Amino acid sequence: MNTEALDWVHGALSAARFDRYRTAADGDAEVALRLYQWNIELSEAFYGPLHWLEVSLRNALNERLRRRFGRDDWWAVAPLRSNGQRKVAHAKYKIKRKEVVEPTADDIVAELTFGFWVSLLSRSNDRDFWIPALHLAFPHYSGPRDQLHHDLIRMLDLRNRIMHHEPIFDGDLTTHRERIFRLLGYLSPQVVAQVRQHDRGPEVLTRWGGAGGTGHAGRS
């Protein structure tokens, strides 16, 4: 890649951002740019399954808590920790900024972050949420809560990296993909079947090896 083209890449991506890829490509800027594009394609491939996981988890937990507390706005009476209360308040604030005059419970549920829902499965919430209600949201899971929470934390991190356009190419992508489908299976085998119909993961994961890559496909 000539100097002019490299200047263009630095202008678009910033040198600091692109250097992560150049390092992975042993200093070859042309390979690094292909690696950057592959990272985008990987992010696209993971977005769909992660979308299903986030929405399915949110709705499963919300339904169980709605039943537990006997009202759609269960957060108004549930013993949320201070961090959870702040996230609910922030969701309401974001809705208000959209000039929604009378937000519904569904509006707030949709605005709450993936991190909020995952946090409900932490150890500190065992007594108030997991034991009386949330274990029922995973009809196909019989393991310990902490392993489930650990796996979801990993998916939260992957989701955030993708949404903030960060590198994921150097992670254990095959393990990430298996974890997503395993978690979806705990919630609903029917959702797993739906997601697999449109899953581009296997195709994209194997593409780099044929593009003159850096060997990262072997780690995926």
Side-chain angles (χ1 to χ4, degrees), residues 59-119:
N59 290 327
L61 298 187
N62 179 64
E63 176 60 19
R64 287 299 164 183
L65 292 170
R66 188 186 66 80
R67 294 187 188 187
R68 167 67 174 168
F69 294 100
R71 51 192 291 173
D72 291 343
D73 61 340
W74 53 267
W75 49 86
V77 296
L80 289 171
R81 303 295 184 268
S82 58
N83 186 51
Q85 293 175 7
R86 285 194 297 271
K87 289 181 178 180
V88 171
H90 186 61
K92 292 178 179 178
Y93 170 74
K94 290 172 68 176
I95 294 171
K96 183 178 180 180
R97 289 187 61 186
K98 298 176 184 178
E99 299 182 354
V100 177
V101 179
E102 295 183 6
T104 66
D106 285 341
D107 290 330
I108 295 172
V109 167
E111 200 67 58
L112 288 167
T113 65
F114 191 21
F116 169 82
W117 299 105
V118 172
S119 72

Side-chain angles (χ1 to χ4, degrees), residues 169-207:
F169 69 89
D170 52 356
D172 190 347
L173 299 175
T174 296
T175 298
H176 284 327
R177 182 171 172 275
E178 291 171 351
R179 185 179 285 116
I180 292 172
F181 281 101
R182 185 168 67 250
L183 289 166
L184 283 171
Y186 298 153
L187 293 162
S188 168
Q190 290 79 13
V191 171
V192 172
Q194 170 66 22
V195 177
R196 287 196 186 280
Q197 289 183 39
H198 304 280
D199 179 28
R200 295 178 56 239
E203 170 204 350
V204 177
L205 283 168
T206 57
R207 186 176 299 163

Side-chain angles (χ1 to χ4, degrees), residues 25-26 29 45 125 142 152 162 211:
D26 298 325
N125 287 314
S142 58
L152 284 166
I162 289 171

Side-chain angles (χ1 to χ4, degrees), residues 116-127:
F116 169 82
W117 299 105
V118 172
S119 72
L120 295 179
L121 299 170
S122 66
R123 180 176 300 175
S124 62
N125 287 314
D126 271 359
R127 183 182 299 275

